[in-house]
Amino acid sequence: MSSNTSGGRRARPGQVRVGRVPTWPGMISAQDPPPVRGRDRHRAVRPRRRARRGARRAWLVGGAGLVASLAAAALVLVYTDAASAPRQSATVADPVLGGGPGCEPTRGTQLVRGNGTGSTASGPDVILAFQHAYYVTRSGAVARSLTVPDAAVPPVAVIDAGIASVPTGTQHCVMITPMLDGRYDVVITELRPDAAARTYRQFVTVAATDGEAAIVKIAPPN
């Protein structure tokens, strides 16, 4: 989905407010470096002797951080490669799931992938329905109807503004993986008419309301 704002939080005292990784197209334009706290900036200008004192510890911590970063990067690359160059398919066996060349339809307990109409029968299906409303139906009202009334999702007008930022005819593919805490890790790959491919990632919370699945929250990865 596009133009909802995950970057609306206020910066904490002593913290520089910066851009965040986009979770929807049209939402955030820049991928800025992590926030730098005020006290960390002061530490940077202290004598080099103190910096050397912590050099050994920095190597150990930095090594562990590098391993974690490489693992996270590998995960995103796998997502991006699997969902690259999506194409809508007019004839698919399961219109709810959808799929097609570059968006191989998959429905399993650990992975759902497609670009179909979706439904409110399950968490993955309502996520598919939300993205279908965004990219195909192009209606903020339809997308918002798939959420609970007080969902942590922007209002219709903001969703419509995001939709308008995405060219008509943009194709999409959605990969949905269940998380241990009950949320869904959602990776959306879009292919715009100019052949520009973009990937977005969201953590989506879904709940059952009157026997139907509805989106409660869409947030950036944390």
Side-chain angles (χ1 to χ4, degrees), residues 16-83:
V16 179
R17 185 175 181 179
V18 298
R20 295 177 176 83
V21 176
T23 58
W24 289 329
M27 194 155 64
I28 300 168
S29 59
Q31 296 187 23
D32 295 326
V36 178
R37 297 184 184 277
R39 61 176 179 270
D40 292 334
R41 293 198 305 274
H42 293 307
R43 287 174 185 164
V45 298
R46 290 178 181 177
R48 293 184 179 179
R49 183 174 58 184
R50 185 167 184 177
R52 291 194 194 101
R53 203 176 296 164
R56 185 174 181 181
R57 181 180 299 177
W59 275 105
L60 294 174
V61 174
L66 178 61
V67 171
S69 298
L70 289 174
L75 176 62
V76 172
L77 287 173
V78 168
Y79 277 138
T80 304
D81 181 66

Side-chain angles (χ1 to χ4, degrees), residues 2-16:
S2 239
S3 175
N4 294 6
T5 324
S6 69
R9 303 175 187 169
R10 294 182 179 177
R12 296 179 180 176
Q15 188 176 24
V16 179

Side-chain angles (χ1 to χ4, degrees), residues 1 4 6 23-24 130-131 147 152-154 202-205 215-220:
M1 158 175 187
N4 294 6
S6 69
T23 58
W24 289 329
F130 190 97
Q131 300 301 335
T147 72
V153 175
Q202 311 168 347
F203 283 177
V204 182
T205 304
I215 292 174
V216 174
K217 182 178 182 180
I218 300 178

Side-chain angles (χ1 to χ4, degrees), residues 157-170:
V158 176
I159 298 175
D160 279 333
I163 291 171
S165 75
V166 178
T168 301
T170 295

Side-chain angles (χ1 to χ4, degrees), residues 48-193:
R48 293 184 179 179
R49 183 174 58 184
R50 185 167 184 177
R52 291 194 194 101
R53 203 176 296 164
R56 185 174 181 181
R57 181 180 299 177
W59 275 105
L60 294 174
V61 174
L66 178 61
V67 171
S69 298
L70 289 174
L75 176 62
V76 172
L77 287 173
V78 168
Y79 277 138
T80 304
D81 181 66
S84 62
R87 293 180 176 82
Q88 311 298 108
S89 177
T91 57
V92 293
D94 180 0
V96 172
L97 181 60
C103 188
E104 187 66 26
T106 303
R107 186 184 290 280
T109 57
Q110 298 303 314
L111 174 67
V112 172
R113 175 173 53 218
N115 52 25
T117 59
S119 73
T120 57
S122 68
D125 279 356
V126 77
I127 292 170
L128 287 173
F130 190 97
Q131 300 301 335
H132 189 273
Y134 199 92
Y135 284 100
V136 182
T137 309
R138 297 179 66 85
S139 169
V142 173
R144 200 60 168 82
S145 71
L146 296 162
T147 72
V148 298
D150 59 347
V153 175
V156 171
V158 176
I159 298 175
D160 279 333
I163 291 171
S165 75
V166 178
T168 301
T170 295
Q171 300 163 1
H172 75 290
C173 185
V174 188
M175 294 180 64
I176 307 163
T177 306
M179 301 172 65
L180 294 177
D181 61 6
R183 294 179 297 172
Y184 293 94
D185 188 343
V186 180
V187 176
I188 304 142
T189 299
E190 65 172 37
L191 183 65
R192 300 193 173 196

